[in-house]
Amino acid sequence: MIRAYEVIADDLRPSIREGERGPGDRLAAKADLARHHGRSVPTVQNALRLLSDEGLIDRGHGRGNVVRRPRTPAVRDDSRYQWEEDRARLPLATRAATGVTERDTGLHAEALVFHAQYREVEASAEPAGAFGVPAGTVLLRRAYRTRYSVEVAPFSLVTSGLVRDVIAADPDLLDEANESWPGGSRHQLHTVGIEPGRVEARVTARPRTPEEVAALDLPPGTSVILLHGTSYDVDDRVVDVSHVTLPGDRTELLFTTRLERW
């Protein structure tokens, strides 16, 4: 049985999806929608909640219900690591022109706002085990946020850990003011003589936390994708451990497997 609020939602939904109502357009007041449909205001509220849960509208206190502005999508494919590796030894001008975020989103570097924060921490048992170092070893913990300049939310929440003594030969790597680094982490490792040999990426998903809702501007009901990356050098030593939280409403993961011919 179709409920009354579903009928109202069905009436409003096509005008949003088909572009009759554009991003930022305000819907009629709840009282006006109630009169138009011959239903109660609580019924209209349930219809609007459904559209909000579908990510079609934003329900803001004091500003009414507006059509949600679609966020810029990002496509992360499994060739991005090799792409970054291939650029690690290219000239500075080439490395600085395009990074992985530009590659994933199709945006130009001038359209991106980048923020990095570094801090040194002593490794607890879990990260120490991952790096194969004693607990208490100093790690450089790096947090990255990159967003499109016309949007408020970053494309992802990224943290990366490195053993401080491994990269200390290049003091520039210890200074957050040097980010974003042309050529990314592969070129950073190259400056201290480290050649990455392989990357393991483990992908999971889970419901989002309140902190992630705020940081990523997630619509109701949106899950997050978690990517845990471990980079090994050619001697099979762990040199970088990263954690990436991706918004499930605007991230696509693309995996391509080349098959051997019969």
Side-chain angles (χ1 to χ4, degrees):
M1 177 179 177
I2 299 178
R3 299 177 176 85
Y5 74 85
E6 293 175 325
V7 173
I8 298 174
D10 288 344
D11 181 65
L12 295 171
R13 190 182 291 109
S15 66
I16 298 173
R17 288 182 171 169
E18 296 169 13
E20 180 182 334
R21 289 184 170 93
D25 285 354
R26 193 183 306 275
L27 274 63
K30 287 179 282 188
D32 292 337
L33 288 173
R35 283 192 293 271
H36 175 75
H37 290 279
R39 298 291 181 178
S40 67
V41 169
T43 299
V44 170
Q45 289 175 323
N46 287 335
L48 296 174
R49 184 178 297 111
L50 180 59
L51 295 177
S52 175
D53 289 346
E54 294 173 2
L56 296 177
I57 66 172
D58 285 323
R59 304 172 66 212
H61 297 293
R63 63 185 179 91
N65 299 282
V66 299
V67 176
R68 182 175 175 85
R69 297 183 183 278
R71 303 303 189 261
T72 303
V75 179
R76 297 172 63 102
D77 64 43
D78 54 351
S79 66
R80 73 195 313 266
Y81 300 111
Q82 186 61 55
W83 181 86
E84 192 178 16
E85 175 84 356
D86 292 341
R87 296 171 66 83
R89 294 177 293 169
L90 295 179
L92 173 60
T94 304
R95 287 185 279 110
T98 306
V100 288
T101 301
E102 294 94 303
R103 181 179 185 269
D104 292 347
T105 62
L107 297 172
H108 295 292
E110 297 78 12
L112 300 175
V113 178
F114 183 85
H115 176 73
Q117 184 177 39
Y118 286 13
R119 64 188 179 98
E120 294 184 5
V121 298
E122 292 186 356
S124 59
E126 183 176 350
F131 282 105
V133 296
T137 297
V138 177
L139 305 180
L140 184 66
R141 182 71 51 81
R142 310 181 299 178
Y144 300 126
R145 306 288 184 267
T146 306
R147 65 176 176 86
Y148 186 15
S149 59
V150 299
E151 298 176 354
V152 298
F155 294 106
S156 60
L157 308 177
V158 182
T159 61
S160 170
L162 303 166
V163 176
R164 187 191 186 283
D165 286 350
V166 171
I167 61 170
D170 185 352
D172 286 345
L173 301 187
L174 306 177
D175 187 354
E176 65 187 34
N178 293 322
E179 292 286 7
S180 61
W181 189 281
S185 61
R186 300 296 175 269
H187 184 262
Q188 287 178 319
L189 295 174
H190 172 64
T191 67
V192 290
I194 296 175
E195 181 181 353
R198 62 188 173 96
V199 179
E200 288 184 357
R202 299 178 184 273
V203 181
T204 58
R206 61 162 169 74
R208 73 276 195 273
T209 66
E211 292 79 12
E212 291 162 348
V213 170
L216 294 169
D217 191 27
L218 298 174
T222 302
S223 295
V224 293
I225 303 168
L226 305 177
L227 190 154
H228 176 81
T230 305
S231 296
Y232 298 81
D233 68 6
V234 291
D235 296 319
D236 219 32
R237 175 184 56 165
V238 175
V239 292
D240 186 4
V241 174
S242 64
H243 299 272
V244 185
T245 303
L246 300 159
D249 65 321
R250 50 191 180 271
T251 303
E252 177 182 341
L253 302 179
L254 175 62
F255 302 99
T256 301
T257 302
R258 302 295 179 185
L259 303 178
E260 294 184 6
R261 294 190 61 178
W262 289 340

